[in-house]
Amino acid sequence: MKKTSVRVPVGAGLAALLLAAGAVGCSGTEDKGSDKAAADMTPAAAVAKAAENTEGLTSLRYRLTGRTPEEGRVEAEAGMQLKPTVAMSMKMKAPDRGADATAEIRLVDKALYINGGAEAAKEMDGKSWIKFDLAAMGADQELNELGGLSQADRNPAAESTFLTAADDVEKVGTETVDGVGTTHYKGTVSLAALEKSLEGEDKATRDQRGKSIEQYEKMGVDKLTMDMWIDGEDQAKQFRMRGDADKGPLDMTITFLDFDEPVKVTAPPAGETVDLAEMMQGAQEG
């Protein structure tokens, strides 16, 4: 194989951002509206209840649309298994960067795979997948501890509790999202308030949420405007976060398709995959 530098059109960096934004899943598509118990709650209590319902989540599927500071418009669909082990599959595209700006990412068996498509295959002897062996890179321990690789994957339930740190949560009204009756809440929260909200949490929670906050800090975001649409079973059906970053606006909306349903992720065929660790070792030996 010739020595090359392969550029994945959308890239692992975008994958990290897409997976950093998220909340809990929805429980179905039937329009149930908001139940009386939810209607009797204060806005802050309703948001806190939805956040509480993230505990014990084993898997979720979601659709993401929005805009990032560097990539412009982005669209993605993903499925993630959280227990008993972490696995993830995501397909994404960045329309503003052209029709070929697409990528697929899989995380399975402590290895991260990125599909660079036809352009990558031209430079890798027809192989379009790149494998990052997390164990070989020393990143598998972090995957075990945090439930996700900090730079290329995140548990999308980790940020569902962020709206609870806002002191201005208010009810916007009732809306139907993907055929599901929901109550819409919104609020604004600073990253300083998010960091303060971690006080008293256990180490794993502080580490997990802290890494999400760190990503926003690196982007230059100091506060987030957040919206949550909660269904009649006190689950978040949709979640949106907006902020002003150093390089432009951030605006992400996640719509949840289901949760706690089986998510199966398989590694790409070996014949279509280049192992980055082996490629780098070969280059060093050469």
Side-chain angles (χ1 to χ4, degrees):
M1 182 190 307
K2 62 182 179 180
K3 185 177 180 181
T4 181
S5 60
V6 178
R7 182 180 186 279
V8 179
V10 177
L14 177 58
L17 177 60
L18 298 189
L19 290 170
V24 298
C26 71
S27 57
T29 58
E30 181 182 354
D31 188 350
K32 299 179 180 179
S34 297
D35 61 18
K36 186 177 185 300
D40 290 341
M41 291 183 187
T42 65
V47 169
K49 180 65 174 178
E52 180 183 339
N53 285 338
T54 66
E55 298 178 7
L57 192 67
T58 61
S59 65
L60 70 161
R61 299 179 191 274
Y62 61 95
R63 178 174 66 246
L64 182 147
T65 60
R67 178 176 295 274
T68 71
E70 296 186 358
E71 302 291 344
R73 290 178 297 151
V74 293
E75 302 171 8
E77 287 202 13
M80 175 171 279
Q81 173 184 288
L82 302 175
K83 298 177 182 180
T85 58
V86 177
M88 178 272 296
S89 175
M90 172 182 279
K91 293 182 179 180
M92 66 187 79
K93 59 183 177 180
D96 290 343
R97 297 185 59 186
D100 294 332
T102 63
E104 181 177 357
I105 294 175
R106 298 182 192 177
L107 175 64
V108 59
D109 296 332
K110 298 184 180 181
L112 181 70
Y113 299 85
I114 300 179
N115 189 337
E119 290 302 313
K122 290 179 182 179
E123 300 188 37
M124 299 193 303
D125 296 335
K127 299 180 179 181
S128 59
W129 287 92
I130 303 173
K131 176 183 178 181
F132 299 81
D133 188 324
L134 304 185
M137 296 168 65
D140 58 326
Q141 186 61 36
E142 184 174 64
L143 179 71
N144 289 335
E145 291 177 354
L146 303 183
L149 179 64
S150 63
Q151 296 303 315
D153 167 52
R154 285 273 223 339
N155 175 350
E159 295 180 12
S160 63
T161 61
F162 281 9
L163 187 54
T164 63
D167 57 12
D168 62 348
V169 179
E170 63 179 279
K171 177 180 175 180
V172 178
T174 56
E175 301 172 19
T176 299
V177 178
D178 266 7
V180 176
T182 70
T183 302
H184 179 185
Y185 299 92
K186 71 175 183 179
T188 304
V189 60
S190 68
L191 264 62
L194 288 175
E195 291 175 340
K196 185 174 179 58
S197 72
L198 298 181
E199 296 177 2
E201 298 286 354
D202 58 73
K203 183 180 184 301
T205 299
R206 291 197 307 272
D207 288 346
Q208 186 181 69
R209 297 178 188 173
K211 286 186 176 295
S212 294
I213 294 171
E214 183 180 352
Q215 287 297 315
Y216 291 109
E217 290 176 337
K218 289 179 179 179
M219 294 170 61
V221 174
D222 58 8
K223 67 178 180 180
L224 292 165
T225 299
M226 308 180 71
D227 294 77
M228 183 180 286
W229 289 259
I230 300 174
D231 68 17
E233 296 185 358
D234 300 324
Q235 302 281 357
K237 172 60 179 172
Q238 188 164 271
F239 189 79
R240 183 184 186 188
M241 55 172 55
R242 290 166 286 166
D244 293 322
D246 290 339
K247 296 184 179 180
L250 169 71
D251 189 345
M252 288 292 192
T253 297
I254 301 94
T255 304
F256 297 93
L257 309 177
D258 62 49
F259 73 103
D260 288 341
E261 297 292 337
V263 172
K264 183 178 180 180
V265 183
T266 59
E272 300 175 13
T273 303
V274 170
D275 189 314
L276 182 64
E278 293 179 359
M279 183 170 65
M280 293 176 66
Q281 182 179 358
Q284 291 174 349
E285 292 175 351

